[in-house]
Amino acid sequence: MYIHHIKPGDATPGMQLAEAVYADAGAGALVARKGYVIDETLLRVLKRREIETVPVWLNTPPEEPDRPTYTSDAVTEKRCWVKGILSEELKKEALGNIKELFGNLDLNKTANKTTAYQSLKNLDTVVGDLIRALSHDESGLVHISDLKQYDEYTYHHSISVSLLSIATGRELGLKSHDLLRLGRCAMLHDIGKQAIPLEILNKKGKLDNDEFAQIKFHSSLGASSLKAHAVGDVELWNAIMFHHEKMNGTGYPKGLVGNEIPLFSKIISVADVYDAITSYRPYRSPMLPDDAFRQICKDAGIAFDNDVVTAFFEKLEFYPVNTIVKLSDERLALVAETDLDSRLTPVVRIWGTDEIIRLAENNQLHIIEVLNHSNLPPGYEFT
């Protein structure tokens, strides 16, 4: 059985709900519980509540996005996208909620505690949706390729780190209620950066001692500000406070060692670094996923917890199908296939041709860059 999100008008009596249905995109009252068998009464309620989609169980798998096609005379490809873990609707909802919460917890202003508390509740609803989205993905792998945005980096970064942290927590065996708390902590891990001037956050040159001190203060500031506004609890505050601690005691702000560091902070630390170094920033280009993998593994046991690093990469999909890549011979290609044994060396198809290359079996070629639709070189375009 597969989960389909269909319009209420396409639902028929006898279908079973795969998830609970709530009013107002999950932030409102419960409309129907998971497992409820749809009847005429529920259909009328769905219409009256103006519910946009209904999650139901069906025997057929959801339709996949169009696979890329090629032309024989050019480098023009049919438009294709990496299939995201999150639906566009959920990404929009997550982005809106994190923006709202950050706005209501503006560290430069006096926050309204009631408003901030309600925003946190809304955020928990989104985190619950992220958990369900991961649990319903049959591949068992997670990627953040479709969350990589050059604009609004902080908000997209928060969602990516939350998603990666939840996936890692699942691999470590955390239960649903623990995953919800972990996802919330991860979503808010950088809230303290609101108080740091953008010219420091986006500085292209080397930070001076004072600027670096301000950067280092963001974790303490975020935790203390949430505590001052009575948002969250000790677990949340500590997870945020200590997500830059290192296993060998060289991190900040307290120089904690090994198991003195909370588990949530250890998980967020790996997810935070991976997303940061594989994302575009004004002061540097993104690192390739496999290079990031090697760097983090190199620091396992030194900066990062070994078990957390193992769990993190066990469920990470480095190059999802349809990812645009540049090869070492300067040709562009699309990732055509990947599996657990070749996640770092996928099967690719050369752009505009039907030539297939299995990078795992080719010692001459490797990926040197990941591109998106907006930074394709001249002559390469989508129709």
Side-chain angles (χ1 to χ4, degrees):
M1 299 288 280
Y2 301 86
I3 294 178
H4 288 244
H5 291 267
I6 64 176
K7 296 179 179 179
D10 295 329
T12 57
M15 289 182 175
Q16 187 178 41
L17 293 180
E19 301 170 6
V21 176
Y22 296 88
D24 301 324
L30 178 69
V31 174
R33 297 186 182 280
K34 176 181 178 180
Y36 188 94
V37 177
I38 295 176
D39 53 22
E40 293 292 348
T41 300
L42 179 58
L43 291 176
R44 288 193 293 272
V45 172
L46 295 174
K47 182 177 181 180
R48 185 173 69 249
R49 294 274 190 156
E50 298 182 340
I51 304 297
E52 294 183 358
T53 61
V54 183
V56 298
W57 291 109
L58 295 177
N59 289 323
T60 56
E63 290 186 5
E64 294 285 343
D66 289 340
R67 289 297 182 93
T69 61
Y70 64 90
T71 60
S72 59
D73 59 346
V75 291
T76 302
E77 291 278 350
K78 183 176 179 180
R79 182 173 294 276
C80 61
W81 305 95
V82 172
K83 181 184 178 183
I85 297 293
L86 310 181
S87 67
E88 288 302 317
E89 180 182 2
L90 180 50
K91 280 190 288 185
K92 183 178 180 181
E93 182 184 357
L95 192 61
N97 274 280
I98 191 68
K99 283 183 180 180
E100 178 186 47
L101 183 56
F102 273 46
N104 288 332
L105 292 174
D106 188 332
L107 305 187
N108 297 312
K109 301 177 183 178
T110 301
N112 181 306
K113 292 183 179 181
T114 301
T115 303
Y117 175 75
Q118 183 58 49
S119 296
L120 188 63
K121 285 190 65 177
N122 293 344
L123 191 68
D124 283 349
T125 299
V126 170
V127 172
D129 289 338
L130 298 186
I131 294 171
R132 284 188 288 274
L134 285 179
S135 66
H136 294 154
D137 186 74
E138 293 187 354
S139 72
L141 299 177
V142 62
H143 68 80
I144 49 175
S145 303
D146 59 324
L147 290 172
K148 296 289 187 186
Q149 300 290 332
Y150 293 173
D151 60 330
E152 299 184 318
Y153 168 77
T154 297
Y155 303 124
H156 287 92
H157 175 65
S158 298
I159 299 170
S160 295
V161 172
S162 185
L163 193 66
L164 292 170
S165 295
I166 292 167
T168 305
R170 290 185 69 215
E171 180 64 15
L172 289 169
L174 298 185
K175 304 301 182 184
S176 295
H177 61 280
D178 295 318
L179 293 177
L180 183 64
R181 302 200 311 274
L182 170 61
R184 175 205 292 176
C185 294
M187 196 79 82
L188 294 174
H189 77 284
D190 268 349
I191 187 110
K193 285 189 175 179
Q194 287 189 102
I196 300 175
L198 284 177
E199 56 266 27
I200 294 179
L201 290 176
N202 295 328
K203 184 177 179 179
K204 293 185 178 181
K206 184 178 180 180
L207 297 175
D208 61 32
N209 290 338
D210 179 64
E211 290 168 337
F212 187 54
Q214 290 189 62
I215 290 287
K216 291 175 66 175
F217 188 54
H218 81 273
S219 55
S220 299
L221 180 61
S224 60
S225 297
L226 289 175
K227 184 176 182 179
H229 294 125
V231 174
D233 51 23
V234 173
E235 182 180 62
L236 174 65
W237 305 330
N238 284 346
I240 293 171
M241 171 87 78
F242 301 128
H243 76 274
H244 280 291
E245 298 288 358
K246 297 182 179 180
M247 295 295 289
N248 64 0
T250 61
Y252 60 86
K254 299 291 186 180
L256 301 184
V257 178
N259 288 332
E260 294 176 352
I261 307 170
L263 175 60
F264 285 4
S265 296
K266 292 178 179 179
I267 295 172
I268 294 168
S269 175
V270 177
D272 178 40
V273 169
Y274 180 84
D275 183 64
I277 63 181
T278 57
S279 297
Y280 169 85
R281 303 299 292 127
Y283 46 83
R284 59 154 174 75
S285 297
M287 186 178 289
L288 285 173
D290 47 324
D291 288 337
F293 165 76
R294 294 183 185 94
Q295 178 170 312
I296 290 175
C297 286
K298 181 180 177 181
D299 288 333
I302 301 171
F304 309 115
D305 182 279
N306 277 306
D307 293 338
V308 170
V309 170
T310 299
F312 180 85
F313 287 117
E314 186 69 23
K315 293 300 182 182
L316 184 67
E317 188 168 22
F318 299 95
Y319 297 104
V321 170
N322 288 343
T323 299
I324 308 169
V325 297
K326 180 186 288 187
L327 302 180
S328 51
D329 63 359
E330 296 298 320
R331 289 186 295 174
L332 297 194
L334 289 166
V335 173
E337 181 183 331
T338 184
D339 58 44
L340 289 174
D341 295 325
S342 63
R343 282 179 291 160
L344 292 173
T345 52
V347 177
V348 301
R349 180 176 58 75
I350 299 301
W351 190 290
T353 78
D354 58 355
E355 180 183 354
I356 295 293
I357 298 177
R358 298 183 178 275
L359 294 178
E361 302 170 4
N362 190 309
N363 296 325
Q364 306 300 315
L365 292 175
H366 58 274
I367 295 171
I368 62 171
E369 188 178 355
V370 174
L371 299 95
N372 59 34
H373 302 89
S374 63
N375 65 353
L376 287 172
Y380 290 85
E381 61 182 18
F382 282 85
T383 57

